[in-house]
Amino acid sequence: MTVLGGDQRSLELAKLCAEDYDVTIYGFDGLETLKHINMARDLQEALKETTFIIGPLPFQDQDGNLNTPLCSDDIELETVMKQLTDKQWLFGGSIDEQWMNLAKKYRVNIIDYFKQEQLQVLNAIPTAEGAIQIAMETMNITLHDANVMVLGFGRVAKTVAQMLHGIGARVYIGARNAAQLAWTTVSRYEAIPLKEIDRYLKNMDLIINTIPARVLDKEKLSVIEPDTLIIDLASHPGGVDVAFAKKRGIHVNWALALPGKVAPVSAASYIKKTIDDIIFNLEV
């Protein structure tokens, strides 16, 4: 098994996998020798004679390369795929469609492990905890008794809303889906249709966005008080007009890949469990 690139949780994943597999790593700078782990000198060595190649979460950067924040060299995804055989399996998390299509072109066996429901649910825990950590370190008031709006009501939003409610925050949920709004009421949050959030925004101490679309545009940012903290948990392109928010003096923290930053060991254990289950069901 080869762990190819990624952040700190990928390194922790390699350590965990070394307990069950013969592990090689590549795509990390300045590492000292790691116990029971082989360090490849180049990409060819990393991919040679290995059945499973475990890529990072997220899988790619914005330039068509493997996501390698701990490596100074770029690893081109197409170069990786060209070197793989039909006996190998390439894993990655949250893989863009263009790379799935390219894998088909090169007849690469590719699996997006982040599509597994179990991982998405578990990954919501460190994401939510990380968002709360950012809020507590940034705000000059307690979250207890604070007015907090969570935009969206998916896995991450549900988890962070539950944690905030437990701390004692007044939680407002802005969502478009009627079923989601109904569930927020069951959970005793204040349910607000997304089209009506404008009249609530000015009273918020903290806004956490989980919707990967431009939800907080110029119009909505214009009614938000400058001392309101916005934490955007949405993937690219994000949900906030950051440039306009900056003009208004609103602090926006676009907090991507929080599990790898705040709880890499736990995040790695979730990924390993998911990959182990996938491999168990593969016909190799």
Side-chain angles (χ1 to χ4, degrees), residues 44-57:
Q44 185 176 3
E45 181 181 335
L47 300 179
K48 186 179 179 181
E49 297 180 359
T50 185
T51 304
F52 304 112
I53 299 94
I54 313 301
L57 169 64

Side-chain angles (χ1 to χ4, degrees), residues 1 13 16-17 20-21 91 113 116 118-119 122 265-281:
M1 173 181 287
L13 175 63
L16 291 174
C17 288
D20 302 315
Y21 304 92
F91 291 77
Y113 54 74
Q116 302 297 310
Q118 70 182 84
L119 180 55
L122 291 171
V265 175
S266 295
S269 70
Y270 303 151
I271 294 173
K272 182 180 184 298
K273 175 65 168 62
T274 302
I275 289 174
D276 281 345
D277 289 345
I278 294 172
I279 289 176
F280 180 79
N281 291 295

Side-chain angles (χ1 to χ4, degrees), residues 14-16 18-19 21 23 32-39:
K15 295 174 187 177
L16 291 174
E19 299 173 7
Y21 304 92
V23 173
E32 297 179 359
T33 302
L34 297 176
K35 191 175 181 180
H36 304 307
I37 294 177
N38 307 308
M39 296 187 182

Side-chain angles (χ1 to χ4, degrees), residues 145-238:
D145 268 348
N147 291 324
V148 183
M149 180 176 288
V150 179
L151 298 175
F153 203 56
R155 303 172 190 87
V156 171
K158 288 175 183 175
T159 306
V160 75
Q162 183 181 35
M163 291 181 181
L164 287 165
H165 182 72
I167 291 172
R170 288 183 288 274
V171 179
Y172 299 75
I173 302 293
R176 183 178 290 110
N177 186 291
Q180 290 179 331
L181 291 170
W183 276 111
T184 66
T185 303
V186 171
S187 302
R188 297 191 176 183
Y189 310 135
E190 184 75 25
I192 308 168
L194 207 55
K195 62 183 178 181
E196 298 177 15
I197 64 172
D198 301 54
R199 57 195 178 99
Y200 293 86
L201 290 173
K202 63 180 180 179
N203 296 318
M204 293 299 120
D205 300 301
L206 170 64
I207 301 170
I208 298 178
N209 176 58
T210 68
I211 303 171
R214 187 57 60 87
V215 182
L216 295 177
D217 54 17
K218 291 181 180 180
E219 180 182 349
K220 290 180 173 56
L221 289 168
S222 295
V223 302
I224 296 174
E225 295 294 332
D227 60 352
T228 300
L229 172 63
I230 300 175
I231 300 175
D232 192 0
L233 301 178
S235 56
H236 289 281

Side-chain angles (χ1 to χ4, degrees), residues 7-29:
D7 54 23
Q8 186 61 39
R9 68 189 140 174
S10 293
L11 283 176
E12 298 298 337
L13 175 63
K15 295 174 187 177
L16 291 174
C17 288
E19 299 173 7
D20 302 315
Y21 304 92
D22 182 11
V23 173
T24 296
I25 62 172
Y26 182 71
F28 305 91
D29 286 344

